[in-house]
Amino acid sequence: MSEMLISQNYNQGWRSATPFEILLVGLTMIALPLFEAPKNVLSIILLAVWLLNSMRAKSFGDTCHLNWPIWGLFIILWLSPFFSGYGGNLNAINSAPRWTLLALFVIVLGKTNFSRTQTTFVWCCLLVGGVAAVLESLWVWQVTGNTYPEFRSVGHVNHSSMYSMVVLACGLGAILAQRRLLQLLGGCALFSSLVFVPPSQSIVGAATAVVLFICFILILSRSLHSGKGLLISILAACVLASVLMASPLASGLRNEIYLQFIGDYPLSGRDRILNSALAVWDQNPLFGTGWFSFGTTTSEERVRSALEAAGRIYDPNVYWHEPHGHNLWTTILIERGLFGILLVTTLLYLYVKNFLPIALTQNKLDTFDRAVAVSAFLIAVGFAFGGLGNTTMMNEHGHAGMAFIGVAYGYLRGRGLLPYKPD
């Protein structure tokens, strides 16, 4: 697309991001893995500033075809407690605001148009925040002697690992951008994310990293018109995984994998957690019981009660109880019901549908445009594959990954590569 076409599109009344809005988005990206209060404060300020600027401009942004499932997931969070019978101890006021802030932040970005310079700035901020979080977590891990390194604001090592996969996805795309700063930060992001995986001992994180590299090399080989792309990508990912697993840092991860294969629970109890969810999900099938309700809804007491009512016996070897489902769809089934399952699956499908064709295109396309699409697509892959073993698209990793996808959509829409329809 020519710059003339872009200028014409912006002159049609598109809602472009202001410099202050971009600054707020960038600072939020840096703060997400590092600082607890600033990430929320900055997100709230962005929403307020965006609303005021939109009122002054008499434009509340452009249509983003990714937003309607997010609206649905957001609305369900507030409806669930009223239909679940848990309203007394699972109040929406106490549970829904955090993901509501995430959802509105992402929705606003998807409705806004971004220039190349603005997109580069947000991209760089996400990478800087991710690299800084890895370095700080490894330093604290060494100083304190904790079992695992954890990002300060993210907390639990599994969630930190999922955040590092967002950084890895953005780093892989940045390498293709042919901009020195982005390529440098992308390389740092790749190195830091891969260094974080072994001491985290996250099998899900390690497996997701391998899948991301397979997808990346496959995309790269397609752009080079290679018919052997799949074989090359699998071999390259296997070599990378072998090198990582052979490093001294990976001794704990190697032991973790070994124990999983020889132990009685190769899925780390995720199948038993799913059994607990399936035992009670039909009590609130459509809207679920609300965010943060998984542990309460699938507690041993409630699972026992549900099984007794159905004339079945509770077996502790079959059922297990955790605060969340350690699987995206297991958690969504309980907390947002069948509608939530449909919406989150549709959202992931829309991510792939919008960004994969651009990432794979063999037509003449600007390298920066393809790089943006590659990162957005790889984030979606990380959400989906990582979601098989952890609850993705929540908390900080969901905030950062979905926000970048929103920016990517706004940028590529301005390039004429994605659908556009003024509100």
Side-chain angles (χ1 to χ4, degrees), residues 5 44-45 48 122 143 160 165 213 217 231 245 279 392 396:
L5 175 59
I44 292 172
I45 293 174
V122 173
V143 170
S160 297
M165 292 302 102
F213 270 96
I217 299 173
L231 178 61
M245 291 303 298
T392 53
E396 292 79 9

Side-chain angles (χ1 to χ4, degrees), residues 272-323:
R272 295 192 292 161
I273 298 172
L274 175 60
N275 290 336
S276 296
L278 292 176
V280 297
W281 79 272
D282 58 347
Q283 297 176 358
N284 303 277
L286 297 181
F287 300 110
T289 51
W291 203 32
F292 286 144
S293 67
F294 189 91
T296 300
T297 307
T298 63
S299 66
E300 180 177 341
E301 176 187 358
R302 298 189 184 279
V303 170
R304 282 182 179 273
S305 176
L307 292 174
E308 289 175 3
R312 297 160 59 192
I313 298 174
Y314 178 88
D315 183 350
N317 293 314
V318 176
Y319 302 97
W320 202 4
H321 313 282
E322 290 286 331

Side-chain angles (χ1 to χ4, degrees), residues 315-336:
D315 183 350
N317 293 314
V318 176
Y319 302 97
W320 202 4
H321 313 282
E322 290 286 331
H324 67 98
H326 290 270
N327 176 287
L328 174 62
W329 288 273
T330 301
T331 303
I332 291 287
L333 177 65
I334 292 299
E335 297 188 348
R336 307 191 208 188

Side-chain angles (χ1 to χ4, degrees), residues 55 91 122 125 129 141 170 173 195 274 282 313 355 387-388 395 402:
M55 292 173 65
N91 195 299
V122 173
C125 288
W141 175 57
C170 287
V195 167
L274 175 60
D282 58 347
I313 298 174
F355 296 111
L388 297 175
N395 303 318
M402 293 171 69

